[in-house]
Amino acid sequence: MTMAHTPEIEAAMEKFAAILEEQNIRIEKMKKEKDFVDYSKLDKIIIGVCGGDGIGPAITSAAQKILEFLLADEIAKGKVEFKVIDGLTIENRVAANKAIPDDVLAELKACDVILKGPTTTPRAGDPWPNIESANVAMRKELDLFANVRPVKVPDQGIDWTFYRENTEGGYAVGSKGVNVSDDLAIDFTVATSDGCERIARAAFEYARKNGKTKVTCVTKANVIKTTDGKFLKTCQEVAKDYPEIELDDWYIDIMTAKLVDPKRRTGFQVVVLPNLYGDIITDEAAEFQGGVGTAGSANIGKRYAMFEAIHGSAPRMVLEGRDKYADPCSIIRAGVMLLSHIGYQEQADKLERALDICMYEEKKLQITGRDTGCTGMEFADYIMDTIKTL
Ligand code: IPM
Ligand code: MG
């Protein structure tokens, strides 16, 4: 005979059961998913441009202008089409009381890839209700399981590509923790076999295609034994299919330390890790290259992919009428990843080269975030003029 639980525990167990059911459904879906889209086989690639909040629309339209310029022939042929998706704003999300309003989600799902500006995530003390982050919701809704974040500082020998798992870990049911009683709060972290395997394979495939010789798996499997243990074990299994690539295994604490060790950090190439560790360490990593504002980020799934700036929506700049002076370089970097992902590597390389010239080498125009510098659109024009010279 089992002992009766307190009503508080009974209630918590019911919530836990619902979470388990939901995760089992997700596993079933993963088991049925098809392989990655082959963009070359699509009649038309639809690129959604979703401005988001704050400075988002201003910087995103600057990036769109450049992509349209680079893809002009493809647009003329009807192979590529751009669609602007308004409405992923905090005001609309609050009105619909949803992380992503239904009509916006339907528009997103009608695209193949999405270029997304920053969206506001409400936090304690904000005037908004506590709706889920639009980012996190979009990653889940479109099953964008691989968050790919490159960081490069060539003169310091840094060339890292992070493969952050993007749909599981502490984020899977992050908004569904349980306050069991006044004294006890519990959150959940999730690892599934399919979820671990697909991110591990994505990292190894990337390594193989790009001539990398090492993949580093980062966990805290000595303490978070079950879920991180599964992640690590799965990476070790997948590694057997890639005998030419070495797998090494680090704990997140010492990995975080070694990233600031100039002698050790140049040894890392591709890093694969669970969601929360990936969130934290990619901010640290981006700092070496000039901060999160300089980094682009790709969120890749088998059917959809979304490319974004990793900085925030800077509402203060809009309040002060300075959104047109916002720096579009992070979202333009995301545009480089988008072009490469859909198969336009030549255009991606040109854009990356032009960005490096304009941002770090020639620096004919400066962005200061105010009228002492140029506007984001002027910078976009500068990049396009530079591309013409390549
Ligand atoms: C990121 C961001 C998001 C995350 C926030 C905005 C929810 O920090 O893209 O890294 O935690 O994933
Ligand atoms: Mg982050």
Side-chain angles (χ1 to χ4, degrees):
M1 216 180 84
T2 48
M3 278 228 312
H5 298 294
T6 63
E8 283 169 346
I9 292 184
E10 288 291 342
M13 281 167 56
E14 223 167 275
K15 289 186 189 157
F16 186 39
I19 289 172
L20 299 181
E21 299 286 357
E22 220 180 76
Q23 291 304 310
N24 274 337
I25 294 172
R26 205 171 63 79
I27 291 173
E28 286 315 307
K29 274 196 200 145
M30 275 192 280
K31 290 198 186 299
K32 285 191 206 123
E33 78 195 352
K34 301 199 187 79
D35 206 359
F36 288 97
V37 172
D38 179 349
Y39 296 96
S40 67
K41 297 217 170 89
L42 296 182
D43 292 337
K44 180 185 270 185
I45 305 170
I46 301 182
I47 303 177
V49 180
C50 185
D53 286 312
I55 58 169
I59 58 171
T60 312
S61 55
Q64 180 183 354
K65 192 172 176 194
I66 298 176
L67 294 184
E68 283 177 339
F69 165 72
L70 280 163
L71 295 172
D73 291 347
E74 305 303 308
I75 296 170
K77 273 194 271 174
K79 172 75 190 178
V80 170
E81 185 186 328
F82 281 82
K83 269 197 185 149
V84 174
I85 301 173
D86 293 320
L88 193 63
T89 61
I90 184 74
E91 292 79 9
N92 287 350
R93 292 160 56 214
V94 167
N97 196 23
K98 283 208 161 148
I100 305 176
D102 292 341
D103 53 338
V104 177
L105 186 59
E107 284 183 78
L108 291 169
K109 286 189 171 170
C111 301
D112 298 294
V113 292
I114 295 148
L115 186 69
K116 185 184 101 8
T119 50
T120 301
T121 302
R123 56 181 163 201
D126 280 354
W128 317 108
N130 194 18
I131 43 179
E132 189 182 29
S133 140
N135 261 4
V136 174
M138 199 180 296
R139 292 167 185 167
K140 283 190 205 161
E141 286 287 351
L142 306 181
D143 205 17
L144 309 173
F145 63 87
N147 186 189
V148 186
R149 296 185 162 178
V151 169
K152 271 193 203 146
V153 189
D155 58 5
Q156 291 177 28
I158 293 176
D159 185 357
W160 302 323
T161 307
F162 292 89
Y163 270 75
R164 164 190 177 191
E165 202 294 321
N166 217 15
T167 49
E168 303 199 336
Y171 283 64
V173 284
S175 52
K176 291 188 181 152
V178 180
N179 281 303
V180 178
S181 67
D182 286 347
D183 294 322
L184 178 61
I186 298 265
D187 267 314
F188 303 101
T189 187
V190 175
T192 67
S193 302
D194 297 88
C196 294
E197 186 175 342
R198 63 186 186 174
I199 187 70
R201 280 203 188 282
F204 275 97
E205 278 297 313
Y206 171 83
R208 177 172 276 173
K209 282 189 192 132
N210 291 276
K212 308 282 180 189
T213 53
K214 189 160 77 182
V215 172
T216 302
C217 173
V218 178
T219 65
K220 188 72 186 177
N222 51 341
V223 177
I224 315 295
K225 292 183 191 294
T226 311
T227 47
D228 280 5
K230 188 189 254 309
F231 194 94
L232 175 57
K233 220 170 79 214
T234 310
C235 285
Q236 289 164 339
E237 280 303 310
V238 168
K240 292 181 187 158
D241 293 341
Y242 300 83
E244 79 279 20
I245 297 164
E246 179 197 346
L247 172 71
D248 67 352
D249 143 33
W250 288 69
Y251 294 132
I252 181 66
D253 48 353
I254 191 66
M255 178 75 183
T256 309
K258 288 303 162 198
L259 282 196
V260 293
D261 176 347
K263 289 193 294 295
R264 300 302 294 278
R265 67 180 174 213
T266 52
F268 300 117
Q269 301 179 21
V270 180
V271 181
V272 62
L273 69 185
N275 211 336
L276 185 56
Y277 309 138
D279 176 48
I280 297 166
I281 214 170
T282 53
D283 273 15
E284 185 198 9
E287 199 63 24
F288 294 107
Q289 144 188 303
V292 291
T294 61
S297 163
N299 298 266
I300 294 173
K302 296 200 170 166
R303 168 70 189 88
Y304 297 103
M306 180 265 278
F307 302 81
E308 62 183 342
I310 69 174
H311 55 71
S313 58
R316 187 198 301 260
M317 289 190 79
V318 183
L319 281 177
E320 294 172 3
R322 293 189 284 118
D323 39 339
K324 65 176 183 204
Y325 297 107
D327 187 345
C329 290
S330 175
I331 191 124
I332 297 172
R333 290 253 173 230
V336 173
M337 299 178 85
L338 185 154
L339 288 168
S340 163
H341 183 72
I342 61 175
Y344 296 107
Q345 192 56 45
E346 202 190 308
Q347 287 88 333
D349 290 342
K350 274 192 185 166
L351 179 53
E352 186 167 34
R353 184 73 202 106
L355 259 170
D356 286 343
I357 293 173
C358 299
M359 286 172 72
Y360 305 123
E361 296 167 25
E362 198 183 69
K363 296 194 276 193
K364 266 199 216 150
L365 292 182
Q366 295 281 346
I367 297 177
T368 61
R370 39 190 85 242
D371 61 9
T372 51
C374 71
T375 66
M377 270 302 176
E378 283 162 355
F379 205 80
D381 290 334
Y382 173 33
I383 291 175
M384 287 187 288
D385 288 341
T386 306
I387 292 170
K388 288 175 200 156
T389 68
L390 295 177

mmCIF file of all heavy atoms in Angstrom, residues 61-90:
data_model
loop_
_atom_site.group_PDB
_atom_site.id
_atom_site.type_symbol
_atom_site.label_atom_id
_atom_site.label_comp_id
_atom_site.label_asym_id
_atom_site.label_seq_id
_atom_site.Cartn_x
_atom_site.Cartn_y
_atom_site.Cartn_z
ATOM 1 N N SER A 61 15.203 46.110 -41.606
ATOM 2 C CA SER A 61 14.985 46.562 -42.980
ATOM 3 C C SER A 61 16.310 46.920 -43.650
ATOM 4 O O SER A 61 16.459 46.757 -44.869
ATOM 5 C CB SER A 61 13.968 47.699 -43.056
ATOM 6 O OG SER A 61 14.358 48.754 -42.232
ATOM 7 N N ALA A 62 17.290 47.366 -42.860
ATOM 8 C CA ALA A 62 18.620 47.618 -43.441
ATOM 9 C C ALA A 62 19.216 46.293 -43.950
ATOM 10 O O ALA A 62 19.763 46.225 -45.053
ATOM 11 C CB ALA A 62 19.549 48.263 -42.407
ATOM 12 N N ALA A 63 19.068 45.240 -43.155
ATOM 13 C CA ALA A 63 19.603 43.928 -43.572
ATOM 14 C C ALA A 63 18.848 43.409 -44.793
ATOM 15 O O ALA A 63 19.441 42.860 -45.725
ATOM 16 C CB ALA A 63 19.493 42.938 -42.416
ATOM 17 N N GLN A 64 17.533 43.606 -44.801
ATOM 18 C CA GLN A 64 16.715 43.136 -45.939
ATOM 19 C C GLN A 64 17.179 43.786 -47.236
ATOM 20 O O GLN A 64 17.285 43.140 -48.285
ATOM 21 C CB GLN A 64 15.240 43.449 -45.680
ATOM 22 C CG GLN A 64 14.338 42.990 -46.829
ATOM 23 C CD GLN A 64 12.879 43.365 -46.620
ATOM 24 O OE1 GLN A 64 12.495 43.887 -45.558
ATOM 25 N NE2 GLN A 64 12.065 43.132 -47.634
ATOM 26 N N LYS A 65 17.466 45.094 -47.159
ATOM 27 C CA LYS A 65 17.892 45.817 -48.360
ATOM 28 C C LYS A 65 19.155 45.174 -48.957
ATOM 29 O O LYS A 65 19.258 44.978 -50.176
ATOM 30 C CB LYS A 65 18.165 47.277 -47.971
ATOM 31 C CG LYS A 65 18.336 48.210 -49.126
ATOM 32 C CD LYS A 65 18.416 49.655 -48.649
ATOM 33 C CE LYS A 65 18.697 50.589 -49.808
ATOM 34 N NZ LYS A 65 19.096 51.933 -49.354
ATOM 35 N N ILE A 66 20.079 44.818 -48.087
ATOM 36 C CA ILE A 66 21.327 44.206 -48.564
ATOM 37 C C ILE A 66 21.068 42.811 -49.155
ATOM 38 O O ILE A 66 21.591 42.465 -50.219
ATOM 39 C CB ILE A 66 22.354 44.101 -47.413
ATOM 40 C CG1 ILE A 66 22.703 45.492 -46.894
ATOM 41 C CG2 ILE A 66 23.603 43.364 -47.877
ATOM 42 C CD1 ILE A 66 23.629 45.495 -45.700
ATOM 43 N N LEU A 67 20.237 42.033 -48.466
ATOM 44 C CA LEU A 67 19.952 40.681 -48.973
ATOM 45 C C LEU A 67 19.242 40.756 -50.319
ATOM 46 O O LEU A 67 19.524 39.975 -51.237
ATOM 47 C CB LEU A 67 19.112 39.891 -47.970
ATOM 48 C CG LEU A 67 19.777 39.553 -46.624
ATOM 49 C CD1 LEU A 67 18.855 38.684 -45.767
ATOM 50 C CD2 LEU A 67 21.108 38.843 -46.818
ATOM 51 N N GLU A 68 18.319 41.708 -50.455
ATOM 52 C CA GLU A 68 17.609 41.856 -51.737
ATOM 53 C C GLU A 68 18.564 42.250 -52.854
ATOM 54 O O GLU A 68 18.432 41.796 -53.995
ATOM 55 C CB GLU A 68 16.483 42.890 -51.606
ATOM 56 C CG GLU A 68 15.284 42.301 -50.892
ATOM 57 C CD GLU A 68 14.159 43.303 -50.659
ATOM 58 O OE1 GLU A 68 14.422 44.522 -50.674
ATOM 59 O OE2 GLU A 68 13.020 42.852 -50.443
ATOM 60 N N PHE A 69 19.537 43.060 -52.496
ATOM 61 C CA PHE A 69 20.545 43.460 -53.473
ATOM 62 C C PHE A 69 21.380 42.239 -53.912
ATOM 63 O O PHE A 69 21.577 41.985 -55.097
ATOM 64 C CB PHE A 69 21.418 44.553 -52.849
ATOM 65 C CG PHE A 69 22.699 44.825 -53.564
ATOM 66 C CD1 PHE A 69 22.701 45.469 -54.791
ATOM 67 C CD2 PHE A 69 23.918 44.430 -53.016
ATOM 68 C CE1 PHE A 69 23.894 45.719 -55.462
ATOM 69 C CE2 PHE A 69 25.113 44.672 -53.680
ATOM 70 C CZ PHE A 69 25.104 45.315 -54.904
ATOM 71 N N LEU A 70 21.807 41.451 -52.917
ATOM 72 C CA LEU A 70 22.651 40.285 -53.236
ATOM 73 C C LEU A 70 21.884 39.194 -53.987
ATOM 74 O O LEU A 70 22.461 38.423 -54.742
ATOM 75 C CB LEU A 70 23.229 39.695 -51.942
ATOM 76 C CG LEU A 70 24.444 40.431 -51.376
ATOM 77 C CD1 LEU A 70 24.671 40.032 -49.916
ATOM 78 C CD2 LEU A 70 25.688 40.133 -52.200
ATOM 79 N N LEU A 71 20.583 39.123 -53.739
ATOM 80 C CA LEU A 71 19.781 38.048 -54.345
ATOM 81 C C LEU A 71 18.928 38.554 -55.506
ATOM 82 O O LEU A 71 17.980 37.872 -55.916
ATOM 83 C CB LEU A 71 18.887 37.397 -53.275
ATOM 84 C CG LEU A 71 19.624 36.649 -52.155
ATOM 85 C CD1 LEU A 71 18.654 36.212 -51.063
ATOM 86 C CD2 LEU A 71 20.373 35.428 -52.717
ATOM 87 N N ALA A 72 19.274 39.737 -56.027
ATOM 88 C CA ALA A 72 18.428 40.375 -57.050
ATOM 89 C C ALA A 72 18.095 39.417 -58.203
ATOM 90 O O ALA A 72 16.944 39.322 -58.637
ATOM 91 C CB ALA A 72 19.103 41.641 -57.571
ATOM 92 N N ASP A 73 19.092 38.667 -58.689
ATOM 93 C CA ASP A 73 18.845 37.755 -59.816
ATOM 94 C C ASP A 73 17.863 36.654 -59.431
ATOM 95 O O ASP A 73 16.996 36.262 -60.219
ATOM 96 C CB ASP A 73 20.155 37.085 -60.266
ATOM 97 C CG ASP A 73 21.092 38.089 -60.912
ATOM 98 O OD1 ASP A 73 20.621 39.200 -61.224
ATOM 99 O OD2 ASP A 73 22.285 37.760 -61.068
ATOM 100 N N GLU A 74 18.033 36.150 -58.232
ATOM 101 C CA GLU A 74 17.167 35.060 -57.770
ATOM 102 C C GLU A 74 15.735 35.554 -57.590
ATOM 103 O O GLU A 74 14.768 34.847 -57.868
ATOM 104 C CB GLU A 74 17.684 34.490 -56.429
ATOM 105 C CG GLU A 74 19.122 34.027 -56.477
ATOM 106 C CD GLU A 74 19.355 32.978 -57.541
ATOM 107 O OE1 GLU A 74 18.603 31.984 -57.532
ATOM 108 O OE2 GLU A 74 20.262 33.162 -58.376
ATOM 109 N N ILE A 75 15.596 36.792 -57.136
ATOM 110 C CA ILE A 75 14.257 37.376 -56.960
ATOM 111 C C ILE A 75 13.614 37.546 -58.340
ATOM 112 O O ILE A 75 12.453 37.191 -58.554
ATOM 113 C CB ILE A 75 14.340 38.730 -56.204
ATOM 114 C CG1 ILE A 75 14.887 38.499 -54.783
ATOM 115 C CG2 ILE A 75 12.976 39.414 -56.155
ATOM 116 C CD1 ILE A 75 15.237 39.761 -54.030
ATOM 117 N N ALA A 76 14.419 38.053 -59.294
ATOM 118 C CA ALA A 76 13.896 38.261 -60.648
ATOM 119 C C ALA A 76 13.444 36.944 -61.274
ATOM 120 O O ALA A 76 12.440 36.880 -61.982
ATOM 121 C CB ALA A 76 14.973 38.929 -61.516
ATOM 122 N N LYS A 77 14.174 35.862 -60.973
ATOM 123 C CA LYS A 77 13.826 34.535 -61.518
ATOM 124 C C LYS A 77 12.643 33.911 -60.800
ATOM 125 O O LYS A 77 12.141 32.855 -61.207
ATOM 126 C CB LYS A 77 15.018 33.581 -61.309
ATOM 127 C CG LYS A 77 16.052 33.603 -62.408
ATOM 128 C CD LYS A 77 16.986 32.398 -62.272
ATOM 129 C CE LYS A 77 18.150 32.742 -61.378
ATOM 130 N NZ LYS A 77 19.067 31.673 -61.041
ATOM 131 N N GLY A 78 12.259 34.497 -59.655
ATOM 132 C CA GLY A 78 11.163 33.922 -58.875
ATOM 133 C C GLY A 78 11.605 32.800 -57.951
ATOM 134 O O GLY A 78 10.785 32.108 -57.348
ATOM 135 N N LYS A 79 12.917 32.624 -57.801
ATOM 136 C CA LYS A 79 13.420 31.549 -56.930
ATOM 137 C C LYS A 79 13.385 31.968 -55.446
ATOM 138 O O LYS A 79 13.268 31.134 -54.555
ATOM 139 C CB LYS A 79 14.852 31.193 -57.361
ATOM 140 C CG LYS A 79 15.597 30.250 -56.457
ATOM 141 C CD LYS A 79 15.137 28.800 -56.564
ATOM 142 C CE LYS A 79 15.751 27.946 -55.444
ATOM 143 N NZ LYS A 79 15.347 26.570 -55.425
ATOM 144 N N VAL A 80 13.488 33.290 -55.232
ATOM 145 C CA VAL A 80 13.479 33.809 -53.858
ATOM 146 C C VAL A 80 12.433 34.906 -53.740
ATOM 147 O O VAL A 80 12.277 35.716 -54.651
ATOM 148 C CB VAL A 80 14.874 34.382 -53.483
ATOM 149 C CG1 VAL A 80 14.823 35.152 -52.167
ATOM 150 C CG2 VAL A 80 15.918 33.275 -53.401
ATOM 151 N N GLU A 81 11.700 34.876 -52.625
ATOM 152 C CA GLU A 81 10.737 35.960 -52.386
ATOM 153 C C GLU A 81 10.853 36.420 -50.929
ATOM 154 O O GLU A 81 10.996 35.600 -50.036
ATOM 155 C CB GLU A 81 9.319 35.421 -52.642
ATOM 156 C CG GLU A 81 8.254 36.480 -52.537
ATOM 157 C CD GLU A 81 6.843 35.887 -52.657
ATOM 158 O OE1 GLU A 81 6.651 34.880 -53.379
ATOM 159 O OE2 GLU A 81 5.945 36.448 -52.012
ATOM 160 N N PHE A 82 10.795 37.719 -50.734
ATOM 161 C CA PHE A 82 10.817 38.265 -49.367
ATOM 162 C C PHE A 82 9.396 38.585 -48.927
ATOM 163 O O PHE A 82 8.602 39.093 -49.715
ATOM 164 C CB PHE A 82 11.656 39.549 -49.326
ATOM 165 C CG PHE A 82 13.134 39.287 -49.284
ATOM 166 C CD1 PHE A 82 13.842 39.011 -50.446
ATOM 167 C CD2 PHE A 82 13.811 39.295 -48.078
ATOM 168 C CE1 PHE A 82 15.205 38.748 -50.415
ATOM 169 C CE2 PHE A 82 15.173 39.031 -48.027
ATOM 170 C CZ PHE A 82 15.877 38.768 -49.196
ATOM 171 N N LYS A 83 9.094 38.292 -47.662
ATOM 172 C CA LYS A 83 7.786 38.650 -47.099
ATOM 173 C C LYS A 83 8.003 39.334 -45.768
ATOM 174 O O LYS A 83 8.645 38.765 -44.887
ATOM 175 C CB LYS A 83 6.975 37.377 -46.838
ATOM 176 C CG LYS A 83 6.124 36.956 -47.977
ATOM 177 C CD LYS A 83 5.064 35.972 -47.531
ATOM 178 C CE LYS A 83 4.318 35.481 -48.773
ATOM 179 N NZ LYS A 83 3.843 34.125 -48.633
ATOM 180 N N VAL A 84 7.486 40.537 -45.638
ATOM 181 C CA VAL A 84 7.633 41.243 -44.361
ATOM 182 C C VAL A 84 6.501 40.815 -43.428
ATOM 183 O O VAL A 84 5.339 40.781 -43.825
ATOM 184 C CB VAL A 84 7.619 42.774 -44.588
ATOM 185 C CG1 VAL A 84 7.622 43.516 -43.257
ATOM 186 C CG2 VAL A 84 8.828 43.181 -45.434
ATOM 187 N N ILE A 85 6.872 40.441 -42.225
ATOM 188 C CA ILE A 85 5.878 40.011 -41.241
ATOM 189 C C ILE A 85 5.880 41.011 -40.084
ATOM 190 O O ILE A 85 6.824 41.065 -39.296
ATOM 191 C CB ILE A 85 6.201 38.588 -40.728
ATOM 192 C CG1 ILE A 85 6.210 37.600 -41.898
ATOM 193 C CG2 ILE A 85 5.216 38.164 -39.640
ATOM 194 C CD1 ILE A 85 6.679 36.206 -41.553
ATOM 195 N N ASP A 86 4.835 41.839 -40.054
ATOM 196 C CA ASP A 86 4.706 42.785 -38.934
ATOM 197 C C ASP A 86 3.991 42.056 -37.798
ATOM 198 O O ASP A 86 3.472 40.977 -37.979
ATOM 199 C CB ASP A 86 3.849 43.983 -39.354
ATOM 200 C CG ASP A 86 4.554 44.819 -40.403
ATOM 201 O OD1 ASP A 86 5.769 45.005 -40.283
ATOM 202 O OD2 ASP A 86 3.869 45.271 -41.350
ATOM 203 N N GLY A 87 3.947 42.663 -36.684
ATOM 204 C CA GLY A 87 3.020 42.157 -35.662
ATOM 205 C C GLY A 87 3.641 41.332 -34.560
ATOM 206 O O GLY A 87 2.974 40.981 -33.607
ATOM 207 N N LEU A 88 4.956 41.050 -34.652
ATOM 208 C CA LEU A 88 5.559 40.347 -33.521
ATOM 209 C C LEU A 88 6.090 41.409 -32.543
ATOM 210 O O LEU A 88 7.279 41.502 -32.265
ATOM 211 C CB LEU A 88 6.677 39.407 -33.966
ATOM 212 C CG LEU A 88 7.129 38.422 -32.878
ATOM 213 C CD1 LEU A 88 6.002 37.481 -32.486
ATOM 214 C CD2 LEU A 88 8.339 37.607 -33.320
ATOM 215 N N THR A 89 5.147 42.214 -32.034
ATOM 216 C CA THR A 89 5.533 43.293 -31.110
ATOM 217 C C THR A 89 4.995 42.959 -29.731
ATOM 218 O O THR A 89 4.023 42.215 -29.598
ATOM 219 C CB THR A 89 4.919 44.634 -31.555
ATOM 220 O OG1 THR A 89 3.491 44.478 -31.529
ATOM 221 C CG2 THR A 89 5.360 45.014 -32.947
ATOM 222 N N ILE A 90 5.595 43.542 -28.742
ATOM 223 C CA ILE A 90 5.170 43.258 -27.370
ATOM 224 C C ILE A 90 3.701 43.677 -27.177
ATOM 225 O O ILE A 90 2.935 42.975 -26.513
ATOM 226 C CB ILE A 90 6.137 43.918 -26.337
ATOM 227 C CG1 ILE A 90 5.760 43.544 -24.910
ATOM 228 C CG2 ILE A 90 6.218 45.413 -26.485
ATOM 229 C CD1 ILE A 90 6.104 42.138 -24.510
#
